[in-house]
């Protein structure tokens, strides 16, 4: 199996961290690419749960996602590695940079894209407010944005230009 890191990048305004809740069933919307034939199924039907059900693969392994390529019918599996989920923390004094938030093992496929959709939360850096179930907007081609108002601190909070990438890890 090949290991990949999911890294995200973005600018946070009055937000201490972005994170998913490992106690909830988070849907990870990931675009997959078959390593056998090169087919890339649509993103809407290729998602995995982080903490939900595990499925049996034909090789006897357990995985968060088990599917078959629509083109060549080869089995594809993706397993989210335990204890690798990390929040995205933005340091005001450092230029925004990609940071690893999750690691996965893939067989028969490689993850190529992640889409921010649901299951994300944010902690305010100016109060104790926590924002749940963030709704991201496609505001420009380079990323997604989320904007809200912290009524305790009377200031805007936001995550701008959220981007993601998968990086293959050395064996």
């Amino acid at each position: 199996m090949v290991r990949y890191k999911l890294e995200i990048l973005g600018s946070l305004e009055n937000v201490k961290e972005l994170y998913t809740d490992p106690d909830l069933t988070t849907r990870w919307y990931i675009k997959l690419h078959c390593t056998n034939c090169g087919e890339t199924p649509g993103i809407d039907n290729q998602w995995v749960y982080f903490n939900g059900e595990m499925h049996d693969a034909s090789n006897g392994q357990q995985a968060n996602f088990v599917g078959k390529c629509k083109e060549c019918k080869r089995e594809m599996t993706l397993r989210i590695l335990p204890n690798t989920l990390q929040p995205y923390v933005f340091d005001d004094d450092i230029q925004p940079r990609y940071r690893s938030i999750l690691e996965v093992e893939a067989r028969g496929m490689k993850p190529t894209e992640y889409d921010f959709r649901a299951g994300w939360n944010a902690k305010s850096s100016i109060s104790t407010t926590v924002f749940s179930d963030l709704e991201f907007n496609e505001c420009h081609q380079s990323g997604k944005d989320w904007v809200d108002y912290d009524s305790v601190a009377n200031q805007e909070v936001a995550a701008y230009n959220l981007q993601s990438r998968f990086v293959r890890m050395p064996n």
Side-chain angles (χ1 to χ4, degrees):
M1 285 198 180
V2 180
R3 291 177 62 170
Y4 295 90
K5 292 189 296 190
L6 172 57
E7 297 181 333
I8 64 172
L9 165 74
S11 296
L12 305 182
E13 181 181 318
N14 296 324
V15 172
K16 186 186 328 183
E17 64 183 46
L18 285 176
Y19 63 97
T20 61
D21 190 346
D23 294 334
L24 297 177
T25 304
T26 298
R27 286 186 179 180
W28 294 87
Y29 290 89
I30 298 173
K31 188 176 275 190
L32 309 175
H33 178 85
C34 177
T35 55
N36 186 50
C37 72
E39 175 71 13
T40 302
I43 195 167
D44 286 332
N45 59 11
Q46 299 298 331
W47 45 265
V48 295
Y49 286 103
F50 168 71
N51 184 359
E53 302 164 27
M54 293 294 280
H55 305 278
D56 293 324
S58 63
N59 63 4
Q61 301 283 327
Q62 291 265 302
N64 297 89
F65 170 80
V66 177
K68 288 193 180 211
C69 176
K70 292 179 182 175
E71 189 67 30
C72 70
K73 307 297 184 220
R74 190 168 217 173
E75 185 175 74
M76 302 185 292
T77 64
L78 186 93
R79 184 171 74 93
I80 299 171
L81 298 174
N83 304 318
T84 62
L85 184 63
Q86 302 291 321
Y88 179 75
V89 180
F90 177 68
D91 299 321
D92 289 328
D93 56 337
I94 299 175
Q95 182 73 11
R97 60 186 166 103
Y98 279 100
R99 295 175 192 254
S100 176
I101 62 160
L102 186 70
E103 293 178 17
V104 298
E105 279 184 340
R107 179 174 295 202
M109 51 76 74
K110 67 179 181 178
T112 58
E113 257 180 78
Y114 170 73
D115 189 18
F116 294 88
R117 291 196 188 180
W120 285 90
N121 306 302
K123 289 183 184 174
S124 174
S125 63
I126 51 178
S127 75
T128 58
T129 306
V130 174
F131 300 88
S132 301
D133 296 323
L134 308 184
E135 291 188 24
F136 297 99
N137 298 310
E138 192 91 41
C139 291
H140 37 76
Q141 221 167 351
S142 60
K144 291 207 171 183
D145 294 344
W146 162 78
V147 179
D148 208 326
Y149 187 75
D150 187 335
S151 57
V152 174
N154 293 322
Q155 291 198 29
E156 181 179 273
V157 291
Y160 295 113
N161 195 23
L162 291 172
Q163 301 171 48
S164 65
R165 69 181 183 190
F166 283 95
V167 177
R168 185 178 174 154
M169 298 174 64
N171 292 334

